Amino acid sequence: ETLAPYLDEQCTEADLDLAARVHTLYASILDSMGDPEGAHDEYRLAIELRERLGEARGMAIVYYNFAESCVRRDEDDVALEFFVRAYDIEKGLGDLASLAQSACHISILLARKGERDEALRFADESIEVATRSATPMIIAHVMANRASTLEILGDSEGRERALLDTLDYLKEYPIDAVLGPVLGNLGSLYLNRGEHVRAEAFLQPALDMSVRDGYQYNEGFWLYCLGKLRFETGRYAEAIELLERAVSILRSVKAHVYTLEALHVLAQAHSKNNSD
């Protein structure tokens, strides 16, 4: 409601810079409210406006935000393209904090493409640049994301060390936006190893934090992990309840891969529960 008066075409043409800021903000609001399709359209409009203005820092910001949105939509190739665009601009501007974040996201996407050496190079660069930025939020963020790169590359022990190192860092600099995912990722790591008691001790607080803070994507994924844990420990009715919630949320945020995985485990839980 607050932004609505500034979203029409007349206001856009009157002040391109203001319009670009408003549409970027509106896109992020739609994203956080669980409307990825609407956010996608708004980001595209904001990109067009920023490119008309030709203002480098603003272009880097909207490229980065749009790329993050694409990751949540499983559009990895588009996400990589726009993270690289942001990275190139940030490097030219000497914007260390933003450069570190872009580099770590590029690392994860390269790992998914199987480009191990380049993925590790960008992961190392993100840590080095973040350290030079001396910004605890950025340092914690890239430390956690380096663990994600190692996970994709199949280095379970390296991922565990990276997550535990991040957890230690967060004891000195408590940052809930990073702590929740770190706890959840440790839980999912132990779940994959079959260490169910240990996994639940991390997954439950991660879920509670995501619900409290309104992070729907994380909420859906931790529900899926806990539902899978209940299934693997023979608590099929509890698994069904958690997985149904997970499917509903993951579907709503267009996380297609995890929606399918949750549906698969949900079907297995119904079978074990004799609910054909």
Side-chain angles (χ1 to χ4, degrees):
E1 291 176 1
T2 303
L3 293 177
Y6 304 97
L7 292 168
D8 63 43
E9 189 174 347
Q10 185 176 350
C11 287
T12 296
E13 293 303 320
D15 189 335
L16 289 181
D17 182 65
L18 177 61
R21 292 170 184 268
V22 168
H23 283 285
T24 302
L25 180 56
Y26 188 46
S28 69
I29 291 170
L30 292 174
D31 222 356
S32 66
M33 291 174 66
D35 182 5
E37 300 294 341
H40 194 81
D41 293 340
E42 286 296 317
Y43 277 128
R44 284 291 190 184
L45 180 55
I47 287 170
E48 179 187 334
L49 291 167
R50 280 295 177 198
E51 289 177 345
R52 284 174 63 186
L53 283 163
E55 194 272 307
R57 190 174 300 279
M59 287 164 64
I61 290 169
V62 74
Y63 288 160
Y64 179 92
N65 289 345
F66 177 63
E68 277 198 321
S69 175
C70 289
V71 168
R72 290 190 286 274
R73 291 160 55 94
D74 302 317
E75 296 178 358
D76 285 358
D77 288 341
V78 180
L80 180 57
E81 175 192 345
F82 280 88
F83 276 131
V84 169
R85 288 193 194 186
Y87 170 90
D88 288 340
I89 293 172
E90 291 153 357
K91 199 157 197 173
L93 294 172
D95 185 348
L96 297 180
S98 298
L99 180 64
Q101 294 181 88
S102 293
C104 73
H105 283 295
I106 291 168
S107 170
I108 291 170
L109 292 168
L110 289 173
R112 289 180 183 173
K113 291 169 72 71
E115 299 181 23
R116 182 183 185 85
D117 291 344
E118 279 295 281
L120 291 174
R121 183 175 73 80
F122 272 98
D124 291 342
E125 180 182 353
S126 72
I127 296 289
E128 185 268 327
V129 173
T131 302
R132 281 198 284 132
S133 79
T135 309
M137 175 69 178
I138 303 302
I139 294 170
H141 176 77
V142 301
M143 288 177 71
N145 274 316
R146 189 174 191 280
S148 298
T149 296
L150 293 169
E151 174 192 9
I152 297 163
L153 294 174
D155 185 352
S156 177
E157 291 184 3
R159 178 194 179 201
E160 182 180 16
R161 284 196 304 273
L163 287 170
L164 291 173
D165 286 346
T166 310
L167 200 56
D168 284 342
Y169 185 81
L170 290 169
K171 290 175 183 175
E172 185 176 0
Y173 300 101
I175 302 164
D176 283 356
V178 181
L179 177 60
V182 167
L183 292 173
N185 283 318
L186 277 167
S188 68
L189 183 151
Y190 295 130
L191 174 62
N192 291 336
R193 291 183 183 173
E195 299 179 34
H196 294 114
V197 173
R198 201 174 184 186
E200 190 159 7
F202 286 103
L203 286 169
Q204 190 60 56
L207 174 61
D208 294 342
M209 291 177 73
S210 67
V211 173
R212 182 197 69 194
D213 297 331
Y215 294 140
Q216 281 199 304
Y217 183 92
N218 288 350
E219 180 184 352
F221 186 67
W222 306 139
L223 280 167
Y224 159 60
C225 290
L226 280 167
K228 185 179 179 183
L229 186 152
R230 299 287 199 281
F231 170 75
E232 291 179 358
T233 53
R235 292 173 281 176
Y236 303 123
E238 293 178 30
I240 289 168
E241 179 185 350
L242 291 168
L243 290 165
E244 284 180 343
R245 288 168 58 196
V247 166
S248 176
I249 293 172
L250 291 169
R251 182 178 276 150
S252 72
V253 299
K254 304 293 191 293
H256 305 302
V257 173
Y258 292 128
T259 301
L260 289 170
E261 291 184 9
L263 281 166
H264 179 63
V265 181
L266 178 57
Q268 292 177 299
H270 275 300
S271 177
K272 291 288 188 181
N273 204 44
N274 297 317
S275 45
D276 292 344

